[in-house]
């Protein structure tokens, strides 16, 4: 059994002691007598106790954490107060990710996160092991997941392999260019940037928003007593701060992004302050997603995401599916996508025209609701005196409905099912038939009024769990039933074909093993001859 790196005690203690110290600080403030003010000595004493508790806990965690890699399983024993023994079958290991923050890179340690098929979160985390050990574990765990034998001698054979070794069989598929990284950073909006932007503004203003308003210093802008313009100015500052924070986060996240291929696996690495690296096993790819958001389409760029069974690499940090290519020229993206799944030319079939009428009615109802809400606000608050001008949004309804209709489509190919949807973020999904788990035919009450339906090819990908499966939206109801039967038939056909291929492959392997034994006969067999 192996143990974690000794430096993990210091790194984990730093995080743990901060948490426990803050908790004890809050407790000290709450229990401190209120008559004579806060007893600082008692509070800081409790904080010191919290820090010591955190350090002791992490030392005990280090002492009791053990792991071992066998021919069939990855065994982990952990727990301070309650012991926990886990055996992960190597065949169920889906992804092995390596993460390094700034402190970890200085100390030469890394965290290893192991995901299993069907799991939506990290199954096992090793925090922390040496950098070389992290890369050895990833190679051996992925070798075992692919049917190899990650024995101890194989681990020892890798002792002299450094973390930066690309390996003789690795091929560089993609490396982000500076221009692509800048465009990605400028036009990507990170959801968490709004909160961080607000926090940054609060600190910049000394928690007094009035200090950010130039009403008394710029003549053309009214003073703080003239509400609406001041509110707009504050909103603009907030959006600017959120945009800057979002650009910085995106830049640091995808800095140095590169994608390589070794045998039947893709390896990615990225990050400036915190370095991520992981694997995407091609044999477990469930679907490909090619996305083209509006700002990136202006520059002719697209992105590619790869979804694997039950887990999307990187989803544990709340960003969903990991990008195989975060941003690149559309031709490069299509080329790599076809290298992973050779789906051929894309020729989509559009929904019927009555679907466009449905979208127009839906948008008209939205405009009517906005106008009604504005009328109520004007009546009871006095704001929005000319609320009826919002009805002019109805002029945009036909255009919006047409754009939504032209952005949707589907294609039933020989080996793949393709769907497309979205205008602002147009996504094209490519699903191999043998990866389909179920085919769903759905028709809401509003769709049935126009004889429309939606057909979904559900896979084992985490995107399906989040409602982002490959769906042909608002197609003819009868066509939907035919499509459902067609997909199910093609699924069974592809499964039978893959079964035949595996049978033939196994037969050839057994024949090769028999030939090898004949080529190296033992002395006894020579005597028999």
């Amino acid at each position: 059994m192996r143990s974690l790196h000794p430096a993990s005690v210091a790194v984990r203690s730093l995080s743990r002691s901060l948490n426990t110290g803050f908790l004890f600080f809050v407790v000290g403030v709450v229990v401190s007598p209120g008559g004579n003010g806060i007893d600082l000595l008692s509070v800081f004493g409790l904080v010191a106790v919290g820090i010591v508790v955190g350090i002791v806990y992490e030392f005990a965690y280090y002492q009791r954490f053990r792991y071992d890699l066998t021919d069939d399983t990855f065994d982990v024993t952990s727990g301070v107060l309650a012991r926990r023994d886990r055996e992960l079958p190597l065949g169920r290991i889906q992804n092995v990710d390596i993460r390094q923050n700034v402190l970890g890179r200085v100390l030469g340690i890394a965290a290893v996160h192991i995901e299993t098929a069907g799991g939506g979160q990290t199954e096992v985390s090793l925090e922390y092991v040496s950098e070389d050990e992290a890369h050895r574990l990833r190679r051996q765990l992925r070798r075992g997941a692919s049917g190899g034998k990650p024995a101890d001698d194989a681990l020892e054979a890798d002792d002299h392999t450094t973390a930066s070794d690309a390996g003789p069989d690795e091929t560089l598929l993609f490396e982000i260019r500076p221009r692509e990284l800048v465009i990605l950073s400028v036009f990507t909006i990170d959801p968490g940037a709004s909160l961080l932007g607000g926090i940054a503004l609060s600190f910049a203003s000394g928690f007094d928003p009035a200090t950010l308003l130039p009403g008394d210093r710029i003549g053309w802008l009214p003073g703080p007593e003239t509400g609406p313009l001041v509110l707009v100015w504050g909103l603009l500052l907030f959006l600017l701060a959120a945009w800057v924070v979002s650009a910085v986060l995106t830049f640091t996240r995808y800095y140095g992004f590169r994608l390589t291929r070794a045998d039947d696996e893709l390896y990615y690495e990225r990050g400036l302050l915190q370095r991520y690296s992981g694997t995407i096993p091609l044999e477990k790819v469930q679907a490909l997603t090619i996305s083209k958001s509006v700002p990136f389409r202006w520059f002719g760029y697209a992105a590619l995401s790869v979804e694997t069974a039950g887990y999307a690499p990187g989803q544990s940090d709340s960003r969903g599916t990991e990008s195989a290519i975060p941003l690149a020229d559309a031709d490069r993206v299509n080329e790599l996508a076809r290298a992973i799944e050779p789906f051929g030319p894309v020729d989509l079939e559009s929904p019927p025209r009555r679907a466009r009428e449905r979208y127009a009615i839906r948008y008209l109802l939205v405009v009517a609701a906005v106008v009604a809400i504005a009328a109520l606000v004007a009546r009871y608050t006095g704001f929005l005196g000319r609320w009826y001008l919002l009805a002019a949004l109805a002029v945009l309804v036909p255009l919006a409905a047409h754009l939504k209709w032209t952005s949707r489509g589907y294609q039933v190919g020989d080996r793949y099912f393709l769907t497309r949807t979205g205008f602002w973020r147009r996504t094209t999904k490519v699903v191999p038939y043998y990866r389909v788990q179920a085919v769903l035919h759905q028709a809401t009450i509003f769709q049935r009024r126009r004889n429309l339906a939606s057909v979904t090819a559900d896979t084992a990908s985490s995107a399906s769990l989040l409602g982002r499966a490959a769906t042909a939206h608002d197609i003819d109801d009868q066509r939907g039933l035919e499509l459902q039967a067609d997909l199910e038939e093609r699924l069974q056909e592809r499964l039978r074909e893959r079964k035949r291929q595996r049978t033939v492959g196994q037969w050839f392997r057994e024949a090769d093993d028999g030939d090898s034994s004949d080529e190296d006969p033992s002395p006894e067999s020579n005597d028999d001859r």
Side-chain angles (χ1 to χ4, degrees):
M1 300 287 284
R2 297 176 179 238
S3 60
L4 301 176
H5 194 280
S8 64
V9 178
V11 177
R12 289 179 59 91
S13 296
L14 179 62
S15 175
R16 179 73 63 175
S17 61
L18 288 176
N19 293 333
T20 55
F22 178 76
L23 176 62
F24 276 64
F25 172 78
V26 174
V27 172
V29 171
V30 172
V31 302
S32 180
N36 299 322
I38 298 177
D39 187 350
L40 294 179
L41 182 61
S42 299
V43 171
F44 285 115
L46 286 175
V47 171
V49 171
I51 293 175
V52 172
V53 168
I55 295 175
V56 171
Y57 178 88
E58 291 304 334
F59 183 77
Y61 180 89
Y62 165 77
Q63 291 290 337
R64 296 172 67 85
F65 193 101
R66 294 292 183 271
Y67 66 92
D68 187 30
L69 179 61
T70 68
D71 288 345
D72 302 315
T73 61
F74 184 67
D75 305 331
V76 177
T77 301
S78 62
V80 176
L81 302 179
R83 300 294 288 169
R84 184 182 181 186
D85 297 325
R86 283 166 289 179
E87 289 187 359
L88 274 65
L90 298 184
R92 291 186 57 83
I93 290 179
Q94 191 74 17
N95 297 86
V96 183
D97 296 342
I98 300 175
R99 303 181 186 181
Q100 273 187 300
N101 54 27
V102 176
L103 182 58
R105 294 166 73 177
V106 171
L107 298 176
I109 59 177
V112 180
H113 299 280
I114 303 171
E115 315 290 341
T116 57
Q121 57 184 359
T122 300
E123 183 70 24
V124 170
S125 294
L126 305 180
E127 297 179 344
Y128 298 82
V129 296
S130 68
E131 191 174 350
D132 289 346
E133 174 72 0
H135 286 267
R136 278 200 303 269
L137 279 174
R138 182 172 68 180
R139 284 193 298 271
Q140 297 304 319
L141 288 172
R142 290 303 311 140
R143 181 183 300 175
S146 302
K149 293 289 186 179
D152 290 339
D153 56 349
L155 280 172
E156 295 174 359
D158 289 334
D159 282 343
H160 299 290
T161 303
T162 63
S164 60
D165 287 340
D169 298 329
E170 286 196 7
T171 303
L172 179 63
L173 299 178
F174 173 79
E175 189 169 16
I176 195 166
R177 299 167 180 168
R179 172 183 169 85
E180 294 167 345
L181 181 59
V182 170
I183 294 177
L184 179 66
S185 303
V186 169
F187 291 101
T188 297
I189 303 300
D190 192 294
S194 300
L195 177 60
L196 293 177
I199 295 175
L201 277 181
S202 299
F203 278 100
S205 63
F207 298 95
D208 183 8
T211 60
L212 297 176
L213 302 175
D216 297 333
R217 293 182 292 274
I218 301 179
W220 53 269
L221 184 67
E225 67 276 8
T226 59
L229 288 180
V230 170
L231 185 62
V232 170
W233 174 256
L235 179 61
L236 289 176
L237 288 179
F238 174 78
L239 293 177
L240 178 62
W243 174 74
V244 171
V245 172
S246 178
V248 172
L249 289 178
T250 303
F251 183 88
T252 57
R253 180 179 302 147
Y254 290 105
Y255 177 86
F257 186 98
R258 64 197 307 269
L259 184 72
T260 59
R261 177 170 181 170
D263 296 328
D264 291 331
E265 290 186 333
L266 300 179
Y267 292 84
Y268 68 90
E269 56 179 328
R270 59 176 174 82
L272 178 61
L273 300 180
Q274 182 159 327
R275 196 70 180 167
Y276 294 86
S277 63
T279 58
I280 304 176
L282 294 179
E283 73 274 9
K284 297 181 180 180
V285 169
Q286 300 294 305
L288 302 180
T289 301
I290 301 174
S291 58
K292 299 179 180 179
S293 301
V294 165
F296 303 128
R297 289 209 302 268
W298 295 342
F299 299 94
Y301 287 125
L304 174 65
S305 300
V306 178
E307 301 165 9
T308 56
Y311 167 73
Q315 80 177 29
S316 57
D317 58 8
S318 72
R319 282 190 302 278
T321 305
E322 185 64 45
S323 296
I325 296 182
L327 190 71
D329 182 84
D331 293 335
R332 294 175 66 195
V333 170
N334 292 330
E335 181 180 355
L336 179 59
R338 288 189 172 91
I340 299 174
E341 295 287 357
F343 52 88
V346 179
D347 185 15
L348 301 178
E349 182 178 345
S350 299
R353 294 182 181 276
R354 59 182 181 275
R356 181 170 52 187
E357 299 172 2
R358 177 172 179 258
Y359 304 149
I361 294 175
R362 181 190 301 176
Y363 291 146
L364 282 175
L365 292 176
V366 171
V367 172
V370 170
V371 173
I373 293 174
L376 291 176
V377 171
R379 179 175 180 179
Y380 291 104
T381 66
F383 290 104
L384 300 175
R386 297 183 180 181
W387 56 268
Y388 49 84
L389 294 178
L390 292 174
L393 293 174
V395 177
L396 301 177
V397 166
L399 177 60
H402 179 73
L403 293 176
K404 187 180 185 67
W405 177 72
T406 56
S407 298
R408 287 186 164 179
Y410 67 96
Q411 176 181 336
V412 181
D414 293 335
R415 299 173 56 189
Y416 301 94
F417 177 56
L418 284 75
T419 64
R420 178 177 293 169
T421 188
F423 171 74
W424 299 107
R425 185 176 183 270
R426 183 172 299 166
T427 58
T428 301
K429 284 191 171 290
V430 181
V431 180
Y433 289 128
Y434 65 88
R435 294 300 189 189
V436 176
Q437 300 287 321
V439 183
L440 308 178
H441 179 278
Q442 299 173 314
T444 66
I445 184 174
F446 302 104
Q447 287 178 314
R448 290 198 297 270
R449 291 175 60 88
R450 293 184 172 272
N451 295 323
L452 298 174
S454 297
V455 177
T456 300
D458 200 4
T459 66
S461 167
S462 59
S464 297
L465 303 176
L466 300 175
R468 298 196 300 267
T471 302
H473 293 279
D474 295 321
I475 64 177
D476 181 79
D477 183 62
Q478 186 60 36
R479 174 63 179 133
L481 294 174
E482 296 174 356
L483 178 59
Q484 181 184 19
D486 191 10
L487 291 178
E488 292 173 347
E489 181 180 354
R490 291 175 182 271
L491 166 61
Q492 297 301 324
E493 179 182 348
R494 290 294 299 166
L495 289 176
R496 288 192 294 267
E497 180 181 346
R498 286 178 63 83
K499 184 177 181 180
R500 287 194 301 268
Q501 292 175 351
R502 286 196 298 268
T503 302
V504 173
Q506 183 178 1
W507 183 85
F508 276 112
R509 285 193 296 270
E510 292 176 353
D512 291 339
D513 293 340
D515 293 340
S516 299
S517 61
D518 292 340
E519 292 173 0
D520 188 20
S522 61
E524 292 80 0
S525 61
N526 288 331
D527 293 339
D528 293 339
R529 291 177 185 176

